[in-house]
């Protein structure tokens, strides 16, 4: 195994020094991840692609749409489809980034540690996570207004 | 009528525009399996349901190994009164719960508020009874295998009970104080679904804890 690692390191060094840049899809692969530039941008896809087969880069059904449009550019909207047929069903508004998940993680960890050393801690230690989870859930006025502006009832 | 039809998945089709599939006309929330949180809640019920089932299996496994179960004979079984009162009240709470669920799906804020007040009052009553139940288990949690099993079984259900009561109370405050958007009615419907789970799981646990030592 040592030899295998050594061979790998030698390969990396040789490629770095005098290899040709490989490009975005060097093997002409057919799956979706090869359609993005290399290295991939943090958002992955500018527009949500529509696929109709397992290798969408190789075969594309004629006359089918290529991408999804109509999701909000200002707010974090995702697309929910039906379970089996993957038909677009709901525009789902994701919450904005917030500090609460981090506080919830700290509070939950503290509870677990406290509960190891004390029976009282097992009960009372649940209060900080409860506060953190409620804070995480509680909707802000501005956030709700934004959601209401995009809202369409089912 | 039209409300129910539009509540079925993919009832509003996406519109084709050139190479794009325009989803701007799709609803921004949906009830039942159209909601992501519905799947999360269903997964949570699967996990918690398995935990309850395991505890019941553990209860009978220990009982088979221990001829003096519960220790001290029938007299040391938990007092029947409080557990039965809890079972009665929790089944009764399914009525305002179903009322809230229906009102939430109709997005009727007035009815939702009425139902939530009744449900909150009942759930606080349930918490008080649960507290007394722990006092009338007639065994310490560290006394014997029986004591540990019974405390864990009741503790697990109490954890779910307290979680859902907390959720219901938070939603009650939110429904009076705001801000409210359509998605919050989905939260209410899902909370009601979880309450059904807490009600339904209490029945087998009640039967095992309170009746198994007596038969």
């Amino acid at each position: 195994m040592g030899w295998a690692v050594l061979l790998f390191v030698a390969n990396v060094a040789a490629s770095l020094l005098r290899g040709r840049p490989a490009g975005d899809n060097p093997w002409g692969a057919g799956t979706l991840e090869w359609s993005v530039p290399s290295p991939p941008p943090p958002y992955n896809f500018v527009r949500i692609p529509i696929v109709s087969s397992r290798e969408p880069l190789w075969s594309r059904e004629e006359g089918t749409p290529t991408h999804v449009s109509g999701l909000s550019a200002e707010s974090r909207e995702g697309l929910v489809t039906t379970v089996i047929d993957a038909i677009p069903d709901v525009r789902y508004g994701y919450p904005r980034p917030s500090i609460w998940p981090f506080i919830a993680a700290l509070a939950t960890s503290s509870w677990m540690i406290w509960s190891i050393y004390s029976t009282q801690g097992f009960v009372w230690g649940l209060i900080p996570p409860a506060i953190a989870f409620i804070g995480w859930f509680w909707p802000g006025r501005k956030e709700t207004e934004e959601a209401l502006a995009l809202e369409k009832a089912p | 009528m039209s409300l129910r039809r539009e509540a079925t998945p993919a009832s509003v089709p996406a519109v084709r525009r050139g190479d794009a599939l325009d989803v701007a006309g799709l609803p921004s929330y949906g009830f039942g399996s159209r909601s992501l949180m519905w799947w999360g809640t269903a997964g949570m019920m699967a996990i918690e349901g398995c935990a309850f089932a395991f505890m019941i299996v553990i209860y009978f496994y220990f009982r088979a190994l221990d001829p003096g179960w519960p220790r001290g004979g029938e007299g040391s079984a938990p007092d029947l009164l409080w557990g039965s009162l809890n079972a009665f009240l929790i089944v009764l709470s399914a009525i305002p719960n179903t009322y809230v669920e229906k009102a939430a799906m109709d997005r009727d804020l007035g009815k939702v508020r009425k139902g939530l007040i009744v449900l909150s009052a009942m759930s606080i009553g349930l918490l008080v009874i649960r507290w007394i139940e722990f006092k009338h288990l007639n065994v310490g949690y560290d006394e014997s295998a029986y004591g540990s099993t019974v405390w864990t079984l009741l503790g697990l259900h109490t954890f779910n009970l307290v979680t859902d009561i907390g959720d219901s109370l938070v939603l009650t405050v939110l429904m009076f104080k705001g801000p409210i958007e359509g998605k919050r009615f989905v939260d209410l419907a899902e909370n009601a679904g979880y309450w059904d789970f807490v009600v339904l799981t209490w029945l087998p646990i009640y039967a095992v804890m309170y009746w198994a030592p007596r038969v």
Side-chain angles (χ1 to χ4, degrees), chain A residues 97-111:
Chain A
S98 113
I99 189 72
W100 284 109
F102 177 65
I103 295 174
L106 286 184
T108 311
S109 308
S110 313
W111 166 60

Side-chain angles (χ1 to χ4, degrees), chain A residues 11-154:
Chain A
N11 192 8
V12 168
S15 306
L16 266 180
L17 288 176
R18 50 184 182 77
R20 255 189 317 126
D24 293 339
N25 186 2
W27 297 291
T31 44
L32 210 52
E33 69 271 29
W34 295 102
S35 69
V36 294
S38 169
Y43 48 83
N44 289 328
F45 298 99
V46 182
R47 295 178 296 195
I48 300 175
I50 294 172
V51 300
S52 45
S53 73
R54 205 175 277 207
E55 275 91 19
L57 301 192
W58 288 348
S59 64
R60 136 131 270 123
E61 252 179 66
E62 280 306 310
T64 55
T66 57
H67 61 273
V68 170
S69 75
L71 291 175
S72 170
E74 283 84 37
S75 172
R76 288 154 64 107
E77 266 192 333
L79 185 64
V80 179
T81 68
T82 58
V83 180
I84 308 288
D85 300 321
I87 299 166
D89 184 29
V90 171
R91 290 178 294 120
Y92 187 83
Y94 287 92
R96 288 200 242 168
S98 113
I99 189 72
W100 284 109
F102 177 65
I103 295 174
L106 286 184
T108 311
S109 308
S110 313
W111 166 60
M112 293 203 154
I113 294 166
W114 194 6
S115 71
I116 293 172
Y117 296 102
S118 135
T119 321
Q120 296 291 314
F122 180 75
V123 177
W124 301 117
L126 279 168
I127 292 173
I131 293 170
F133 286 126
I134 293 169
W136 186 350
F137 162 76
W138 198 266
R141 297 248 164 226
K142 201 162 168 279
E143 209 176 344
T144 306
E145 273 166 31
E146 277 179 21
L148 280 171
L150 292 167
E151 182 170 290
K152 271 201 182 81

